[in-house]
Amino acid sequence: MIDKLTRREFERLVGFTMIGSSMPSLGTDAEAGPFVSTSEDSRAVYEANRETQPGALPPWADVVAGRWANASKATLLIDMSVCHPVSALSPQAKTGYWQVVPYELAGGTLGKLLWAALEQRAPEIRLPLRVKGWHAIFVGIYATVLGPSTLWLKLDGDVSAQPRTSEEYAPYGSFTEVFFKVAELNDTTLYIKQQSAGAAFSAGLVNVKLIPLSNEEISGFLADRDQRTTRRLATTNDGVGYLINHRPTTVEDLLREVEVFRHTDFGTLLLHVGGADGLNYPSQYGHMLSDHMDGYVYPDPTYKQYGEAVRELAKKGINPTKVLIEGAHALGMKVHVGIRPALWTYYEPLQRFFDSPFYQAHPEWRCVDRDGTPVARMSWAVPKVRRHLVDVLREAVGFGADGAHLVFCRGVPVVLYEPSFLEIFEKRYGEDPRKLDEESDPRIKQAWVEVVTTFIREARAMLDEEQNRRVDGKHLELSVMVFGNEYNNLLYGLDVRRWVTEGLIDEIFLDQWGIGSKKAGVDIDFFLDVCRPKGIPFFPSYTVFSPPAYDNTISQALSWYEKGVHGVVFFDAGGEKVAQGTVVSRLGHVDELRLRDAKESGAPKPVVQIRFHRLGNLVMDGRFPPIGGG
């Protein structure tokens, strides 16, 4: 059993000097280090973190509290019962309230944390910070064995809140210290909210640490924040997940989805509208997903949350796609709105939710495989199908986007052996393609290339028309997300070389794990050969986390940059994993990559844990803590 820390050991670890046994008042300067530990190894790590090495990353790029120059001058707010309104607080866990729980840390510090269980539906509360100047803000987040704890945080003047989460559960008797942001404070108020809508989470706030920046840190941070040369990262947003997970019903709720990209290296948002013509807003051309669920049971509570969100937004006249376009523009991001050509319907029990009326009305225009098997796609060999999708894109771009995007890695095939294609092929070659070998006869894929390229030309023409209609005359871009090598792309008629040669597309994004790929790997040299002569940027795909199937590393990203790649793209990046201060948020800082561990993936690092001595009326760090029966 680990021995209890003495007061002096605790003070040395956290840099917080105790005066007698009294609790410091709010606003008192406190030397607050990153964690409380009872192991010599952890102490060594802490001491190493405090040192500033030549050539080391700036503290806002590798955020550990002890690395800031003035970490010893931090203000530590530990009594969360001073939050307003007081009427939102209760000593008991009750619906509509935050529960106040007294605690004591290992060194004798007394405080009060706030807790809201998953279904507690606690209201938004406010904490006055009572300091001035530039500060690095950290929050202590408490979680239990029941699951992670998430807080939505924002300051006065912030457009919307950002999430911060503990580990899935904090080790028994501890809480997690999490970086929020760097901000200039002026007796600013911190707003704290539980996520009760959508995928609800419990929420626990233990303390707030405010570290004043040195003059050198202020100037360095501002210079880094205001430059744009590193904004070489792009991300997709599938247009569905955030409406399920958060059930937003206001403009501020929606803006949470892009607020996490503020002051990061993300410069491009590839905003999917939902499906092929399934959208998250009422449309003249497509249909709003869930709009024909009246009288039917949703297949899952999460899809019901989506339906409730988009319907309430539509009733209020709020278009989520338009709001995200405007929100991203306010951050200096470029936005391409995109469709997923394959998503016309889905298998049960999701069919009614996703079913496209256009798809259902025209079975004669669907794709058909060479053996006659019907395929749940609409054929681009049919001019009216292409026109329908161009109209969907035209409407979405008209909300103010900077271009259109085609998500081929979620949308092939778009042409097979249906009657419309047979007619094209037989007219050109005088043969039935179903009687030819698909692998050995190049004419089949070449005919598919002609069909797909025809659509690309039509989309390009639509963007040119929209560009001429706009007052600013700014060039509207066409981008594609394709497979990572030429072989996989040509399997489905995607001739990237031809599109670039004809000047049809402006940017290319690669998906290493696209649905339908047959050959593994990303051929960077092929895309360099195709894109570099025409000055077309292309972006290999990365991942925000690192499950076993993905092996992206810092060294891989660096090797891409050194070869001449413009940037990297993430599929559905979002939330705190990409927010200010994370490794992912700074993957556009190429010089910084050389200072990081080459084996890192950008996955979240092990977090800082702080131990409780007493929680409520229970001692947590004695020889026999209150966990043995669990």
Side-chain angles (χ1 to χ4, degrees), residues 150-183:
T150 295
L151 298 171
W152 285 87
L153 306 170
K154 72 172 185 176
L155 301 173
D156 290 326
D158 286 353
V159 172
S160 61
Q162 295 190 43
R164 293 296 181 267
T165 302
S166 68
E167 288 289 83
E168 184 163 349
Y169 68 87
Y172 289 114
S174 68
F175 61 94
T176 306
E177 181 172 88
V178 178
F179 175 68
F180 173 36
K181 66 192 301 184
V182 172

Side-chain angles (χ1 to χ4, degrees), residues 537-601:
F538 76 94
F539 303 69
S541 56
Y542 211 86
T543 181
V544 180
F545 46 88
S546 188
Y550 299 162
D551 59 358
N552 287 124
T553 60
I554 295 294
S555 62
Q556 184 179 49
L558 188 57
S559 71
W560 288 341
Y561 285 132
E562 290 173 344
K563 281 189 172 184
V565 166
H566 178 78
V568 295
V569 60
F570 294 80
F571 212 89
D572 292 350
E576 62 198 286
K577 291 179 181 177
V578 302
Q580 180 189 119
T582 61
V583 175
V584 168
S585 75
R586 301 183 65 82
L587 282 178
H589 282 68
V590 180
D591 289 341
E592 274 187 14
L593 298 184
R594 298 183 176 92
L595 301 177
R596 297 187 184 274
D597 182 351
K599 296 180 181 180
E600 281 190 70
S601 68

Side-chain angles (χ1 to χ4, degrees), residues 61-78:
D62 194 23
V63 284
V64 175
R67 293 186 180 175
W68 298 85
N70 291 327
S72 63
K73 300 178 182 179
T75 296
L76 187 63
L77 310 183
I78 54 180

Side-chain angles (χ1 to χ4, degrees), residues 12 87 125 128 147 154 223 331 409 494 526:
R12 183 166 66 85
S87 59
I125 52 176
K154 72 172 185 176
L331 300 178
C409 62
L494 312 181
F526 166 77

Side-chain angles (χ1 to χ4, degrees), residues 456-518:
I456 298 290
R457 294 192 188 107
E458 291 167 349
R460 177 68 265 164
M462 175 274 292
L463 291 171
D464 292 342
E465 293 170 3
E466 174 67 12
Q467 175 182 324
N468 293 332
R469 187 187 66 80
R470 294 189 182 183
V471 176
D472 61 11
K474 180 183 176 182
H475 176 67
L476 295 180
E477 297 178 331
L478 179 60
S479 64
V480 294
M481 181 168 279
V482 295
F483 299 105
N485 55 67
E486 186 179 29
Y487 175 82
N488 285 333
N489 286 313
L490 290 179
L491 282 177
Y492 303 103
L494 312 181
D495 192 342
V496 175
R497 186 184 296 274
R498 181 170 180 177
W499 302 343
V500 170
T501 300
E502 290 190 23
L504 298 175
I505 56 177
D506 299 280
E507 289 183 332
I508 299 172
F509 301 90
L510 313 181
D511 185 7
Q512 297 188 52
W513 312 281
I515 297 173
S517 60
K518 302 293 178 62

Side-chain angles (χ1 to χ4, degrees), residues 93 128 134 143 158 197 219 296 313 382 416 457 461 500 522 543 557 603:
W134 284 93
D158 286 353
S219 59
Y296 294 89
L313 289 167
V382 179
L416 284 171
R457 294 192 188 107
V500 170
V522 175
T543 181

